[in-house]
Amino acid sequence: MLRIGCHLSSSKGYLAMGKEAVKIKANTFQFFTRNPRGGSAKPLNVADMEAYTAFAREQGIAHILAHAPYTLNACAKDEGLRTFAKNTMADDLYRLSYLPESMYNFHPGSHVKQGPDAGIDYIAEMLNELLKPEQKTVVLLETMSGKGSEVGRTFEELRSILDKVELKDKMGVCLDTCHVYDGGYDIVDHLEEVLKEFDAVIGLDRLKAIHLNDSKNPFSSHKDRHEKIGEGSIGLPAMVRIINHPSLRELPFFLETPNELLGYAAEIALLKEHYKEV
């Protein structure tokens, strides 16, 4: 079974997102934990979370992905921004403790001329302060496209973070197809080689989710502009190979394409049509 969903608005609550997912025939979904361009979060609504959890079990929704706000920069040069990132993630992880089978994805951040090594140290330091042995939520580092001073532009940089985190079983990676293609990993013509490199550097066992996005930009452009499935430089044939690859097909896929709900429904139907059950 193809485990696929899209990014949904969390403004109406978890149960509403679950119902929207069912409406478009998704069996998972992603959402922002709070305002993606700010830092505020809605009051914790445990009753809504419990209602969603019961609904999700009935409908077969699982492996949902919470996305940290874009303002979270764990490796900022400014100490105040790093403190904001730590406090935000701590609150997010507390909230997610009420949601079974949830994962938490975040952009590693930008080192802002400090150099990637300093950025990696800051990120690992924050994670070591926050991660708890008893937590169930797995935290995912997202692959980045390499624009500006982003950390996570290479598999090696992500591996360096993971190596410095003490509770390694609480960590994983989310691979964004647009980001890695824009970042110089040719998943169109050399998917097998890219996955072998990922396995050698990070380990495929650490790959927990995939952001399935086409790209508005050419290969290795080091930009980050998502496109609808089949309408960008990656193309539908490559997407079909990705969702059917033996090492990837059982993972949850999350669409972050420039779409409204009906557009996501069409993409989900298209990809399900091309998914080969084994």
Side-chain angles (χ1 to χ4, degrees), residues 11-277:
S11 62
K12 296 180 181 179
Y14 294 99
L15 181 58
M17 285 192 289
K19 291 180 176 179
E20 279 196 332
V22 170
K23 182 178 180 181
I24 60 174
K25 301 189 184 306
N27 47 25
T28 188
F29 60 88
Q30 175 180 272
F31 62 96
F32 278 118
T33 57
R34 57 190 65 223
N35 185 331
R37 300 293 181 183
S40 61
K42 295 174 64 177
L44 187 65
N45 188 338
V46 176
D48 177 53
M49 291 174 153
E50 291 175 345
Y52 160 75
T53 299
F55 179 82
R57 287 172 179 162
E58 292 173 359
Q59 300 295 329
I61 300 172
H63 309 298
I64 61 173
L65 184 60
H67 199 303
Y70 295 132
T71 48
L72 192 155
N73 186 359
C75 60
K77 188 174 184 178
D78 183 274
E79 184 178 357
L81 293 177
R82 296 199 305 275
T83 299
F84 169 82
K86 183 173 70 173
N87 292 341
T88 297
M89 186 177 290
D91 186 51
D92 283 349
L93 292 176
Y94 169 74
R95 290 165 178 265
L96 291 173
S97 67
Y98 289 92
L99 290 174
E101 293 195 31
S102 64
M103 298 179 288
Y104 182 72
N105 178 74
F106 77 104
H107 293 183
S110 296
H111 60 75
V112 196
K113 298 182 180 179
Q114 299 175 98
D117 290 342
I120 287 166
D121 286 342
Y122 279 135
I123 296 164
E125 179 183 346
M126 181 190 72
L127 290 168
N128 283 330
E129 289 183 27
L130 293 178
L131 300 181
K132 308 297 181 187
E134 64 273 15
Q135 79 178 53
K136 295 181 180 179
T137 302
V138 176
V139 176
L140 307 185
L141 298 165
E142 183 171 340
T143 57
M144 304 308 295
S145 63
K147 66 180 187 297
S149 60
E150 287 178 334
V151 174
R153 67 181 61 206
T154 64
F155 297 158
E156 285 79 7
E157 287 187 358
L158 294 178
R159 174 60 189 264
S160 293
I161 298 170
L162 294 169
D163 281 347
K164 293 176 181 290
V165 175
E166 295 163 3
L167 296 178
K168 301 186 186 306
D169 62 319
K170 308 301 180 185
M171 294 296 302
V173 172
C174 175
L175 186 148
D176 187 302
T177 55
C178 173
H179 292 179
V180 294
Y181 188 70
D182 284 11
Y185 292 96
D186 189 357
I187 56 174
V188 174
D189 295 319
H190 298 283
L191 176 62
E192 200 66 43
E193 290 91 334
V194 172
L195 292 178
K196 286 181 179 178
E197 183 176 353
F198 185 99
D199 192 33
V201 176
I202 297 176
L204 281 168
D205 59 317
R206 287 176 162 174
L207 182 57
K208 305 297 183 182
I210 293 180
H211 282 163
L212 199 64
N213 303 306
D214 214 323
S215 175
K216 290 181 180 293
N217 298 294
F219 173 66
S220 199
S221 60
H222 298 290
K223 296 181 180 179
D224 176 9
R225 292 190 66 202
H226 300 180
E227 182 55 282
K228 296 175 183 178
I229 300 299
E231 297 185 18
S233 57
I234 297 176
L236 181 60
M239 293 297 183
V240 172
R241 289 192 291 273
I242 288 167
I243 64 173
N244 285 290
H245 192 281
S247 296
L248 308 177
R249 57 181 290 113
E250 300 299 327
L251 294 171
F253 294 89
F254 300 94
L255 297 164
E256 296 179 316
T257 52
N259 265 314
E260 301 295 335
L261 206 60
L262 289 179
Y264 282 133
E267 287 185 337
I268 289 169
L270 174 67
L271 293 164
K272 283 184 175 181
E273 178 185 339
H274 285 88
Y275 186 72
K276 301 173 183 177
E277 300 288 352

